[in-house]
Amino acid sequence: MFGIDARTARVVWTAALVVAGLYGVFLVRTTLLVMLIAVLFSYLIYPLFVLAQRVVGGRVPRMPLLGLVYLVVVALVALAVALFGNQVAEQATTLAQQLPTLLDPATLERRLPLPGVLEPLRARLAGFLRDLLQGGSSQAMPFMRNIGAGLMHLAGNLIYVVVVPILSFLMILQAPVFDELLVTVSHRRNGPFWTGVLHGLNTVLSSYVRALALLSLATLIVYGLVLSLMGVPFALLLAAIAALLEVIPVLGPLVAAAAIVGVALFSGYEHVGWVVAFIAAYRIFQDYMLNPYLMSEGVDVPPILVVFGLLAGEELAGVSGIFLSVPFLAALRMVAMQIRLHRAKITSAATPTSPPG
């Protein structure tokens, strides 16, 4: 009737529904982002809650026990801020005040710490650093402006600092419901496939978030202790920056290392070589020993995809996109692996076996 093909109409209707769904996701993108961050935060708290359940042996109801775990976490964070927050803030203020003097090209040649062997090259190295500063600052400004705008946007939505823990509290509280949902899904058509996908995503996200938290904590402690013992200026501030940048794979540690070496170099610190050696040794230990031990196999995303994801995430969602790009890529990789395994099972089941003899 009216010359409309039924199959074409169904295709157009499906495409319209997909476009409408994508537009709806775009409209509620902030809410979805908050929910995703709450899920990631839940993975940090849930192991502590499970440990508390094992200790009390079921003698305390679920909700009061989870509230007690949250109180302990908040108390530990408040204690850490009280012990080290003031020192980090003071060092940040001092560095901000001294930064124009440290980056002054007129005094750079005189302040540059060099061993005796490189002393004849002082003028050339100082000139190279001056050119690098002048060229690099103009290229870095747009990127830093975008990062700063993203941070200001996050700071303007501090309500989410309260909303995220509340959402994660409710998610952990409803964990048994999610387990029942998995059991229900497993009995439906293609149930084993979707169960494998959900279990795989749970493994990837939990391994990634918990490993990232432990790696950041290890970086904060090791950098803070070693840099302080070596007498590097602004040691605690640099350690805190390195710990925060640890959440950005590949590029984050490189930026942190450049910041530490740059601050030490322009501050006139005489043992920059030892700082470089320490950072190189620590990165080898963390990247090739500690990181593989903490991360599961499904989180092993190729570095080229990590860099692509970081750049694309920054373009799409700013600071939040940078943080979420790697777990998103790891989740996609896990789904692709489950699809490949599911197809392999279907192929092997459909292949007839030859009779013996």
Side-chain angles (χ1 to χ4, degrees):
M1 181 181 289
F2 304 112
I4 300 178
D5 181 67
R7 184 174 181 273
T8 303
R10 287 195 298 270
V11 171
V12 172
W13 175 249
T14 303
L17 289 178
V18 171
V19 172
L22 293 176
Y23 182 67
V25 170
F26 175 77
L27 292 178
V28 297
R29 60 190 183 279
T30 302
T31 302
L32 293 177
L33 178 62
V34 173
M35 292 293 293
L36 182 56
I37 295 176
V39 170
L40 298 180
F41 186 75
S42 301
Y43 282 116
L44 292 178
I45 303 298
Y46 190 71
L48 301 177
F49 176 64
V50 173
L51 178 62
Q53 283 183 315
R54 292 175 181 174
V55 172
V56 300
R59 293 187 296 271
V60 180
R62 189 178 183 87
M63 181 177 291
L65 183 61
L66 183 57
L68 180 61
V69 170
Y70 265 78
L71 289 177
V72 172
V73 171
V74 170
L76 291 176
V77 173
L79 179 62
V81 172
L83 291 177
F84 305 105
N86 291 333
Q87 299 182 45
V88 173
E90 291 176 1
Q91 291 185 7
T93 303
T94 304
L95 179 59
Q97 295 173 351
Q98 297 182 3
L99 198 58
T101 303
L102 297 178
L103 298 179
D104 185 9
T107 61
L108 180 59
E109 181 177 349
R110 176 172 49 84
R111 291 183 290 103
L112 194 63
L114 291 175
V117 179
L118 298 179
E119 192 63 35
L121 302 176
R122 176 178 293 274
R124 292 185 179 181
L125 291 175
F128 171 76
L129 290 176
R130 279 196 297 267
D131 296 338
L132 188 63
L133 284 174
Q134 293 172 358
S137 60
S138 61
Q139 296 176 5
M141 283 304 296
F143 178 76
M144 294 304 297
R145 192 180 298 113
N146 293 336
I147 296 296
L151 292 176
M152 291 298 295
H153 177 72
L154 292 178
N157 295 278
L158 291 179
I159 184 63
Y160 297 137
V161 177
V162 179
V163 173
V164 167
I166 293 176
L167 289 176
S168 64
F169 181 92
L170 297 176
M171 290 177 183
I172 296 175
L173 201 61
Q174 297 298 319
V177 177
F178 298 143
D179 294 336
E180 294 176 1
L181 179 62
L182 282 177
V183 174
T184 303
V185 169
S186 64
H187 294 294
R188 295 189 175 184
R189 183 181 179 184
N190 293 327
F193 166 72
W194 291 111
T195 303
V197 169
L198 294 177
H199 278 299
L201 291 176
N202 178 67
T203 301
V204 166
L205 293 178
S206 62
S207 299
Y208 179 78
V209 173
R210 295 165 192 171
L212 206 59
L214 293 175
L215 292 174
S216 297
L217 181 60
T219 299
L220 177 64
I221 295 174
V222 175
Y223 274 45
L225 287 176
V226 176
L227 294 180
S228 298
L229 292 175
M230 295 176 67
V232 177
F234 313 107
L236 291 180
L237 173 63
L238 295 175
I241 292 174
L244 291 175
L245 290 175
E246 196 68 38
V247 302
I248 305 176
V250 182
L251 295 182
L254 291 177
V255 174
I260 294 172
V261 174
V263 170
L265 187 65
F266 294 117
S267 299
Y269 182 72
E270 297 181 353
H271 306 291
V272 178
W274 288 108
V275 175
V276 173
F278 156 68
I279 294 177
Y282 180 76
R283 294 316 313 177
I284 292 174
F285 165 74
Q286 188 177 69
D287 294 341
Y288 294 97
M289 297 180 64
L290 186 60
N291 198 332
Y293 175 76
L294 294 176
M295 294 281 189
S296 68
E297 184 181 355
V299 191
D300 186 17
V301 181
I304 184 64
L305 288 181
V306 171
V307 175
F308 171 79
L310 295 176
L311 296 177
E314 194 275 333
E315 288 289 336
L316 293 174
V319 178
S320 302
I322 292 175
F323 174 70
L324 297 175
S325 59
V326 176
F328 178 75
L329 290 175
L332 286 181
R333 183 172 180 267
M334 174 58 65
V335 173
M337 291 172 57
Q338 291 296 329
I339 292 175
R340 187 169 64 249
L341 291 175
H342 183 66
R343 288 180 176 176
K345 291 180 180 178
I346 293 177
T347 304
S348 61
T351 303
T353 58
S354 58

